[in-house]
Every structure is written in C-alpha cells, then in structure tokens.
C-alpha cells in the first residue's frame, strides 16, 4: 500500500481519477471493452503504446490518468508530463550540458511514460528532435501513452520537420492502440447543466 502511494506521488499525475468514475454512456464512440482491456495492462507487458485522440474535454487526460493509476497499482513505475513540460525540461537540461541525464527521466526511469497534450503547441525541429529521442529510446522497450487533440495526419505540420515527424510516428504507431474519441466535451456538458440549474424557471 505504501509502495503504491509513493509510486503515485512520483508519477506526478495532474489529478486522481479512475475508470470507475468514467461515464462510458456519455462517450459512445469509445469502445468500453477496449479501454477495459487496456486496463488489464497487457499492452505494458508487450511494450505497446496507447494514443488517445479527440477534441478538448472528451476524457483523454482522465483515461490516461486512470490507466496510469492501474499501472502504479500493479507495481510498475509511471511518469506523467505534458509534452510541453517535457520539451522545456529537456531544452533547459541541454543548455546546461545535462541532456543525457534528463533524458533518462523520460526513458529508462519509468516503465510507463504518459505524454499529455501533444499538438497544442507546434514544435521547432530541435524540439521535435527531443521527442524523437524519447520515442526511439522507448520503442519496443517500454510503453508510452499519448493524448492529442490533433489527428495523427496533422502531426507532421506540428513537428516542423516532416522527416522527424515520420520517424516519430513510424515508431509510435508500429505497436499501438489508437482510440479516437469523437464525442462532445464533458466540461461543456457540466457547464450546460450548471447553467440550466441557475436559470430561473
Ligand atoms: P481532455 O480530453 O481535454 O483531456 P479531460 O480528460 O481532462 O479532457 O476531461 C475533462 C473533465 O471532464 C475532467 O474533469 C474529466 O474527469 C471529466 N470527464 C471527461 N469525460 C468524462 C466521462 N466520460 N465521464 C466522467 N468524467 C469525464
Ligand atoms: Mg487533457
């Protein structure tokens, strides 16, 4: 129990939400059986990746966090970061001449790496190269979960350099589970409900 709590703390999750708290009925485009199968963590043993794609508010981060919690509970190490935070940390370490040590945070130090919010900000070629180094190191060695509001077809535009984008995607997708969520934002649903309650009849 203490080990699980410590591993959850080290994972740096933005919040703690589980699959039990996920309303699958609200998101019919999502295959519940596929998500539950991922929660069995067979993908982790097989070093496969998970891509959670879809517009804002459909539950990508929630699902990534829930899978990360399952992973911690099973005794594996997890590290969670936004893509942007990882790139900034690697660029800073690079400037300080400590890139190799910092790369280990995102490669060998965790059995599962979650990179949240791929695609919110475009990357320069140098920045995309940091992502390439992480992805190619983990390729067939350890799993990645990525979330993105952009479809995979849009990634080359984001990564500044088509050759690097192709190299990243090639490795990411080779052994992967891609879940495309096509529904409505849960955040807006909550807002709409709150507004409905606040409206006098
Ligand atoms: P995004 O796809 O933008 O990462 P989040 O996963 O952060 O969206 O979801 C936004 C908020 O709505 C979070 O508080 C999350 O827990 C909640 N949420 C999203 N989808 C569901 C769902 N199907 N059932 C329960 N809560 C959900
Ligand atoms: Mg999110």
């Amino acid at each position: 129990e203490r080990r699980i709590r410590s591993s959850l703390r080290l994972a740096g999750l933005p919040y703690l939400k589980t699959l039990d708290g996920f309303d699958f009925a609200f998101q019919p485009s999502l295959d519940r059986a596929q998500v539950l199968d991922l929660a069995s963590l067979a993908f982790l043993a097989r070093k496969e990746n998970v891509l959670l794609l879809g517009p804002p508010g459909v539950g990508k981060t929630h699902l990534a966090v829930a899978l990360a919690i399952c992973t911690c509970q099973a005794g594996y190490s997890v590290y969670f970061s936004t893509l942007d935070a990882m790139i900034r940390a690697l660029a800073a370490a690079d400037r300080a001449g400590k890139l190799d040590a910092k790369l280990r945070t995102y490669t060998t130090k965790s059995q599962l790496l979650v990179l949240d919010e791929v695609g919110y900000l475009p990357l320069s070629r140098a920045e995309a190269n940091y992502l390439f180094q992480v992805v190619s190191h983990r390729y067939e060695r350890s799993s990645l979960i990525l979330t993105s509001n952009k479809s995979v077809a849009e990634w080359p535009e984001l990564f500044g350099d088509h050759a690097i984008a192709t190299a990243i995607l090639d490795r990411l997708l080779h052994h992967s589970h891609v879940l495309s969520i096509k529904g409505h934002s849960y955040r807006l649903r909550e807002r709409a409900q709150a507004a409905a309650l606040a409206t006098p009849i």
Side-chain angles (χ1 to χ4, degrees):
E1 168 115 4
R2 211 174 53 207
R3 222 185 40 196
I4 292 171
R5 248 186 294 134
S6 138
S7 131
L8 278 172
R9 194 164 32 77
L10 291 173
L13 302 174
Y15 49 66
L16 294 180
K17 292 199 182 184
T18 62
L19 287 183
D20 288 339
F22 194 84
D23 180 3
F24 284 92
F26 183 75
Q27 220 51 268
S29 73
L30 192 65
D31 183 349
R32 184 167 188 265
Q34 190 181 13
V35 174
L36 296 183
D37 184 55
L38 289 173
S40 77
L41 304 181
F43 78 97
L44 206 71
R46 293 198 291 254
K47 330 283 187 205
E48 294 162 350
N49 302 319
V50 178
L51 275 73
L52 295 161
L53 309 177
V58 293
K60 303 181 297 295
T61 302
H62 185 139
L63 292 169
V65 164
L67 291 173
I69 292 174
C70 291
T71 306
C72 286
Q73 285 169 339
Y76 298 100
S77 54
V78 177
Y79 195 72
F80 183 107
S81 171
T82 62
L83 175 66
D84 200 44
M86 180 185 83
I87 298 292
R88 275 187 280 116
L90 289 173
D94 201 1
R95 285 192 298 274
K98 292 175 179 159
L99 179 60
D100 284 350
K102 197 65 182 177
L103 271 172
R104 284 196 284 278
T105 300
Y106 304 97
T107 55
T108 49
K109 279 191 186 164
S110 54
Q111 283 152 307
L112 173 66
L113 175 67
V114 182
L115 287 180
D116 199 19
E117 300 186 350
V118 175
Y120 276 102
L121 297 172
L123 302 184
S124 69
R125 173 193 288 223
E127 289 168 339
N129 190 44
Y130 295 133
L131 177 61
F132 173 73
Q133 291 191 52
V134 170
V135 168
S136 69
H137 188 281
R138 298 192 76 96
Y139 175 63
E140 295 189 334
R141 287 198 195 117
S142 52
S143 296
L144 262 165
I145 296 180
L146 277 93
T147 81
S148 180
N149 61 333
K150 299 281 195 304
S151 73
V152 168
E154 292 170 283
W155 286 23
E157 303 287 301
L158 288 165
F159 290 172
D161 181 303
H162 280 240
I164 294 182
T166 310
I168 290 171
L169 279 174
D170 196 49
R171 286 163 181 76
L172 268 182
L173 296 174
H174 184 195
H175 310 289
S176 67
H177 305 263
V178 181
L179 283 72
S180 278
I181 312 173
K182 293 188 180 72
H184 298 289
S185 167
Y186 201 82
R187 288 192 194 100
L188 294 185
R189 176 194 106 132
E190 288 183 328
R191 277 243 306 270
Q193 279 178 348
L197 286 174
T199 309
I201 305 164

